[in-house]
Amino acid sequence: LAPDLALAETRYWRGTNGNVWNDPLNWSISENGPTNAAAPGTTDVAIFTSNNGTKGTGSDIRMRGAINIGGLILAPSFTGSLFTGTSSVLIGSQSGGIRIGSGRLQIGTGTVFSSTGSITMSGGILSNSAKNNRMRLSGSLLHRGGALSYSGMILFNSINADQTLRITEHTAVSATYKYAKATLSGVTLNNTAVGQIDDLLLTGATLFLRSVTIDRGNLDLARYNVGLSISGSMVIASNAQAGFNGSTQTLTISGSIQKGASGYMYLSGGTLLMNGGKDQNLDLGGYALHNLTINNVGSANNDNIIVANGSQLLLSGALTITNGNLNLM
């Protein structure tokens, strides 16, 4: 940790006086040092390990009130849990932002949770307690291990750089890690960087999402050749810098695609698979697809792929209809 922390102060959780985050008797400036250090501040990195031999290492820690720290590390030796309450939690980019090697970080109901750095998981659990939670990230989300289960909305909102969403399969299921792989719900992209550095790059395993909203920025499947499956809909704003880019990948969608007039959508060599259980709307404007496969399993008169009024269906590859009705009327 020394090179990462050279410009930041460290605060080690000791937990000698209960589980309250802001109590200075729970913090030390060294892993085994005396307590009564100030709670972590805006330039400090909060570190949780199990090597200090105190009761706090395997306990539940409560983050209440307004918390603003430089970085957060849950070391691979940590066995406890951090729970956020009705509070605001802002974590900076010191030491990489948020690094989770073990333990649990759970975002509670009513929490405004933001990170100007990245979240990197090599183990542990990151989860939330309510579907209306929103997490704001100016960095990347890199899941390389552990259990990631987030049912709320993740907003990627960098102002000056590309961002990456990496999902790695996690196949070891146990009483501690209940999720066989990472599960996410919705993603919103509002990257306001200019030029060619406004991407949200998907990498790793095929990503499964409930919904995607692109207000600004480019959702990119092509760079790392990864697929995307959406159980709901994709909405692309009417903004010349809002769009989707794919090449040979497969985009699977069970809902609709709604593209604003100024937005864009490229899928130059791959396949759009529309496999909903009810009517789906398709609005591409004048943008062409390569292959379109329709496998809508809805009931009669509720199995239509409806091409939007004023839009066009432009294909450079194959049109395959295995189930459902392509409706150009």
Side-chain angles (χ1 to χ4, degrees):
L1 298 178
D4 287 338
L5 301 176
L7 301 178
E9 295 289 338
T10 58
R11 291 291 186 271
Y12 287 85
W13 176 262
R14 295 296 306 273
T16 57
N17 197 43
N19 64 358
V20 178
W21 176 279
N22 290 320
D23 188 340
L25 293 177
N26 285 326
W27 294 98
S28 174
I29 61 173
S30 63
E31 186 173 4
N32 295 295
T35 59
N36 206 22
T42 56
T43 61
D44 301 326
V45 178
I47 303 175
F48 292 80
T49 75
S50 65
N51 296 326
N52 54 29
T54 69
K55 65 181 182 181
T57 58
S59 300
D60 297 341
I61 297 101
R62 306 289 174 178
M63 305 172 73
R64 296 190 175 98
I67 295 173
N68 187 349
I69 61 176
L72 175 66
I73 296 174
L74 306 187
S77 56
F78 179 58
T79 58
S81 299
L82 273 67
F83 294 94
T84 70
T86 304
S87 58
S88 62
V89 178
L90 174 61
I91 300 177
S93 57
Q94 295 278 12
S95 191
I98 302 171
R99 291 156 53 185
I100 303 175
S102 187
R104 175 190 288 270
L105 173 59
Q106 180 159 319
I107 301 170
T109 303
T111 301
V112 178
F113 190 92
S114 304
S115 176
T116 60
S118 296
I119 298 177
T120 302
M121 293 185 67
S122 58
I125 300 172
L126 174 59
S127 60
N128 69 312
S129 59
K131 292 181 179 180
N132 61 354
N133 284 146
R134 173 172 286 199
M135 180 193 299
R136 300 174 176 89
L137 288 180
S138 299
S140 297
L141 175 55
L142 306 174
H143 171 261
R144 298 190 173 103
L148 172 60
S149 179
Y150 195 85
S151 60
M153 180 66 67
I154 301 179
L155 170 63
F156 290 86
N157 65 345
S158 177
I159 62 174
N160 56 18
D162 289 341
Q163 297 172 267
T164 299
L165 175 54
R166 176 182 175 83
I167 298 298
T168 302
E169 295 285 346
H170 179 74
T171 57
V173 181
S174 67
T176 303
Y177 302 112
K178 299 178 181 179
Y179 305 102
K181 60 183 177 181
T183 56
L184 297 179
S185 182
V187 164
T188 295
L189 176 59
N190 190 28
N191 187 312
T192 57
V194 297
Q196 301 301 311
I197 55 171
D198 63 348
D199 297 324
L200 177 59
L201 303 167
L202 303 190
T203 181
T206 294
L207 183 62
F208 294 87
L209 294 172
R210 180 175 54 82
S211 64
V212 171
T213 301
I214 304 172
D215 292 323
R216 183 166 169 171
N218 178 53
L219 180 63
D220 192 327
L221 306 186
R223 180 88 61 93
Y224 296 110
N225 190 28
V226 63
L228 175 62
S229 181
I230 305 173
S231 61
S233 295
M234 173 186 284
V235 178
I236 301 173
S238 182
N239 186 316
Q241 290 184 269
F244 170 90
N245 181 46
S247 58
T248 61
Q249 299 74 40
T250 297
L251 171 61
T252 302
I253 188 162
S254 300
S256 297
I257 296 178
Q258 177 184 334
K259 187 188 70 65
S262 299
Y264 62 85
M265 184 170 181
Y266 299 111
L267 194 58
S268 58
T271 298
L272 173 62
L273 169 60
M274 304 193 73
N275 67 345
K278 57 182 180 180
D279 288 349
Q280 298 175 260
N281 295 311
L282 180 59
D283 186 355
L284 301 177
Y287 287 89
L289 300 173
H290 185 59
N291 300 324
L292 173 62
T293 298
I294 297 171
N295 187 31
N296 189 299
V297 296
S299 59
N301 300 318
N302 196 27
D303 62 351
N304 294 283
I305 307 301
I306 302 171
V307 177
N309 186 30
S311 180
Q312 299 179 79
L313 182 59
L314 303 174
L315 302 176
S316 60
L319 171 63
T320 304
I321 303 175
T322 58
N323 221 358
N325 176 52
L326 178 60
N327 190 329
L328 303 180
M329 296 175 62

